[in-house]
Amino acid sequence: MSLKPVFRYALVIIAIGVLWKLAALGLGGIILPHPEAAVRAFLSAMGTQIFWEHFGVSGYRAVTAMVVAWGVAFPLGLVMGSVKRVDNLLAPFIFLTYPIPKIVLLPVFLLLFGLGDLAKISMIALILGYQILVTTRDGVRSIHPKYSDSVRSLGGSQWDVLCEVLIPAALPHGFTALRLGVGVSVAVLFFVESFATTRGLGYMIMDAWGAMDYLTMFTGILGMSLMGAALYEIANLMERRACTWMFLRKK
Amino acid sequence: MLIAENLSKYYGGEGVLDNVSFSLGREETLAVVGPSGCGKTTLLYLLSGLTRADSGVAFLDGELIGRPTSDISIILQDYGLLPWKTVVENVALGLKIQGVFKKERMERARAQLAELGITGRDSDYPANLSGGEQQRVAIARAFVSRPRLMLLDEPFSSLDALTRERLQRTLLDVWKLRKVPFVLVTHSLEEAVVLGKRIMVMSSRPASPVAVFDNPGFGDESIRDTKGCFELLKELRHTVEALW
Ligand SMILES: Nc1ncnc2c1ncn2[C@@H]1O[C@H](COP(=O)(O)OP(=O)(O)OP(=O)(O)O)[C@@H](O)[C@H]1O
Ligand SMILES: [Mg+2]
């Protein structure tokens, strides 16, 4: 990784720190602790096992959900975007259910899949998966037919068209959806972790909130922010590695 | 030898091509001119096997053209290079589809690129190339699989005049070396005279051939300066003006 994004992050962090400090001064420093106190608490929490347990559990849930969502939604989007018959069958269903806020199904998921990780991961994967599915499908439909013609004209089969045109042209769409979906995924993660579990950063935040332990609460918030930023950068990096051609500068 | 017999094509009940017949010998080239939208691209698609004719047939060396094969290379109207593949990968694509091993296909692709004057750009992407360079890459890709017929759809129309002349010469040079017959669609009468051993004038939609001219001066590098060229151009222009 080059220095530039690091520098950008540093600048943003400093700006947030200044605003936070001003707000903390205004609010008296109890409900909103001073940033240096929160950071100190965060740093010392990073030396404890319990923090990393919460962090690890949350990370596991988020990453598993992202892998599952991608693994199901990207191929399905590819098929829907390129095979008319499948699209005619599935598209009405997808677009009718698209506007429904899937998060309201959480109680149903909890009843179906129990209180463990399965319900939580499924919830995140469902919400993220919709995003990836719809973006990939639309992306594949927008691929100009001249590229498939070009491969077919060289004697290429449907399989060659899939490998040489559809997948490479759809990858950027799928990765963009994944990257943009990180924010929603972490938000949903927080929500599903705020009950029916005793592990995860979401639990850590809400538990500390209940105990009025605002420093620990902010440790959890910083931990979730860190995880969100890390997942975003990982998705970003994967996108750049898989789709070099999208990031060319005109010479 | 390419033989087209009564090729017709309809889109939504409307005729686009109407009974197109012609033949093209082993060491010949055919330039096709016609009004915009008359069906020239459609004709090339039929000849390449990418689209099926509604009636009529085409044969290449006695074999029915039914679906695309590596024996027929087509250069699409805007090159048809894949933006996600590097220059050398684009050129090697046809060989990859044929199952040629990576090492060999890369070597052949590089050699073909060099023949067309593109060196040191192997791992660039098409977007980083100029229009003329992209066109050279497209020609390299079409020639690398040693086709028996080349189809070119207005290959040089988006290039500036000088680049166009240089590429016309390049194409002629490669043709002289390989003697692969080609059908070239163009909207420039001058280009038709430079690159067509025979020149077919199409009517407006539904297109059918209205006249075929022989071009005895074909292959002469300085054909533009000859009297024969001038005469032929004049005759072509008259035919075309009477039609459109
Ligand atoms: N797949 C298709 N479906 C329906 N109509 C088509 C299709 N392809 C071409 N056409 C129609 O057929 C006609 C001929 O198109 P074609 O592209 O062959 O013309 P052209 O002579 O190559 O035109 P240009 O000079 O603009 O390149 C046009 O009116 C076009 O709208
Ligand atoms: Mg055309």
Side-chain angles (χ1 to χ4, degrees):
Chain A
M1 196 157 67
S2 71
L3 266 171
K4 229 172 140 195
V6 176
F7 185 68
R8 212 173 51 211
Y9 267 122
L11 256 176
V12 171
I13 287 169
I14 289 169
I16 291 173
V18 169
L19 289 176
W20 183 351
K21 181 75 192 174
L22 291 176
L25 285 173
L27 291 171
I30 295 175
I31 299 171
L32 185 63
H34 289 281
E36 66 274 14
V39 169
R40 215 178 304 123
F42 180 64
L43 288 178
S44 72
M46 280 172 74
T48 64
Q49 201 187 343
I50 183 78
F51 172 82
W52 288 113
E53 257 182 60
H54 288 310
F55 192 92
V57 167
S58 288
Y60 158 74
R61 286 168 181 159
V63 170
T64 312
M66 285 169 80
V67 170
V68 169
W70 170 269
V72 174
F74 183 74
L76 192 59
L78 212 56
V79 172
M80 279 182 71
S82 53
V83 186
K84 258 235 135 58
R85 292 230 301 279
V86 178
D87 195 58
N88 288 342
L89 203 70
L90 294 182
F93 178 76
I94 300 290
F95 286 97
L96 271 177
T97 53
Y98 186 62
I100 299 174
K102 261 66 73 182
I103 192 83
V104 300
L105 296 176
L106 184 60
V108 181
F109 274 48
L110 290 173
L111 289 173
L112 280 177
F113 301 134
L115 300 179
D117 277 348
L118 183 59
K120 297 177 174 54
I121 291 171
S122 314
M123 193 74 248
I124 304 169
L126 180 74
I127 291 173
L128 181 61
Y130 255 81
Q131 216 65 39
I132 296 173
L133 174 64
V134 171
T135 314
T136 305
R137 176 233 184 219
D138 290 351
V140 171
R141 283 162 62 101
S142 71
I143 300 171
H144 198 286
K146 69 183 176 188
Y147 298 122
S148 316
D149 285 347
S150 159
V151 169
R152 288 200 303 126
S153 80
L154 296 166
S157 59
Q158 281 309 111
W159 175 253
D160 292 312
V161 171
L162 177 72
C163 296
E164 310 294 350
V165 176
L166 298 181
I167 291 179
L171 270 180
H173 298 281
F175 273 121
T176 306
L178 181 72
R179 181 165 52 82
L180 297 180
V182 164
V184 179
S185 302
V186 176
V188 176
L189 176 72
F190 169 72
F191 188 75
V192 299
E193 282 186 344
S194 57
F195 50 90
T197 181
T198 55
R199 277 152 24 112
L201 291 168
Y203 164 78
M204 182 182 175
I205 293 169
M206 293 313 283
D207 187 51
W209 172 70
M212 294 196 291
D213 176 2
Y214 296 128
L215 277 177
T216 307
M217 184 176 93
F218 269 89
T219 299
I221 291 175
L222 286 177
M224 266 210 154
S225 312
L226 181 70
M227 198 174 70
L231 290 177
Y232 184 90
E233 274 309 323
I234 291 169
N236 195 14
L237 215 69
M238 290 193 333
E239 184 178 356
R240 282 174 174 272
R241 295 220 59 172
C243 319
T244 334
W245 61 279
M246 285 289 288
F247 302 95
L248 299 172
R249 265 189 307 144
K250 283 262 177 198
K251 277 183 190 162
Chain B
M1 177 96 173
L2 172 69
I3 298 174
E5 281 177 13
N6 301 317
L7 290 175
S8 296
K9 182 74 191 171
Y10 305 87
Y11 278 123
E14 268 195 86
V16 176
L17 289 178
D18 181 33
N19 278 313
V20 178
S21 301
F22 63 89
S23 67
L24 182 67
R26 230 176 227 295
E27 301 204 345
E28 285 188 325
T29 73
L30 178 73
V32 179
V33 292
S36 177
C38 75
K40 304 180 295 291
T41 298
T42 306
L43 176 63
L44 292 193
Y45 266 61
L46 295 189
L47 294 176
S48 73
L50 278 169
T51 307
R52 268 180 195 282
D54 290 316
S55 67
V57 283
F59 297 95
L60 177 64
D61 299 332
E63 285 169 51
L64 187 71
I65 299 174
R67 50 188 206 86
T69 70
S70 54
D71 289 332
I72 303 173
S73 285
I74 183 169
I75 299 184
L76 302 173
Q77 202 152 357
D78 47 8
Y79 319 143
L81 299 175
L82 305 182
W84 42 86
K85 288 193 175 290
T86 62
V87 164
V88 71
E89 284 169 353
N90 261 292
V91 175
L93 183 60
L95 301 174
K96 183 179 181 187
I97 286 168
Q98 286 173 43
V100 176
F101 283 117
K102 182 160 185 169
K103 190 161 172 282
E104 189 196 334
R105 66 173 189 255
M106 290 301 171
E107 267 168 23
R108 278 172 66 182
R110 277 193 199 98
Q112 188 65 60
L113 279 166
E115 193 179 313
L116 281 149
I118 305 262
T119 48
R121 310 297 307 263
D122 293 357
S123 42
D124 279 334
Y125 286 87
N128 279 341
L129 267 53
S130 72
E133 287 166 335
Q134 289 184 32
Q135 189 54 271
R136 282 173 194 273
V137 174
I139 296 175
R141 187 173 83 169
F143 271 109
V144 76
S145 52
R146 314 243 163 83
R148 287 186 282 142
L149 173 67
M150 288 270 294
L151 307 167
L152 302 101
D153 196 357
E154 304 194 12
F156 310 133
S157 54
S158 56
L159 305 176
D160 63 89
L162 265 172
T163 311
R164 183 183 317 156
E165 284 194 18
R166 281 178 55 188
L167 272 164
Q168 287 169 348
R169 174 161 304 188
T170 306
L171 181 62
L172 266 187
D173 288 344
V174 181
W175 181 82
K176 283 175 182 164
L177 203 69
R178 300 286 185 82
K179 287 286 161 60
V180 181
F182 63 75
V183 179
L184 172 126
V185 166
T186 175
H187 58 227
S188 149
L189 297 181
E190 196 211 23
E191 183 164 283
V193 172
V194 174
L195 293 176
K197 183 157 170 46
R198 289 192 299 143
I199 299 158
M200 183 162 83
V201 180
M202 307 284 280
S203 68
S204 57
R205 199 180 148 180
S208 59
V210 285
V212 179
F213 294 87
D214 273 317
N215 179 11
F218 168 74
D220 182 353
E221 297 225 325
S222 46
I223 188 174
R224 280 189 183 80
D225 309 325
T226 62
K227 193 151 174 292
C229 167
F230 180 75
E231 293 295 329
L232 184 57
L233 261 179
K234 205 164 96 182
E235 213 179 329
L236 267 171
R237 197 170 294 116
H238 280 308
T239 316
V240 165
E241 273 167 6
L243 272 170
W244 301 342

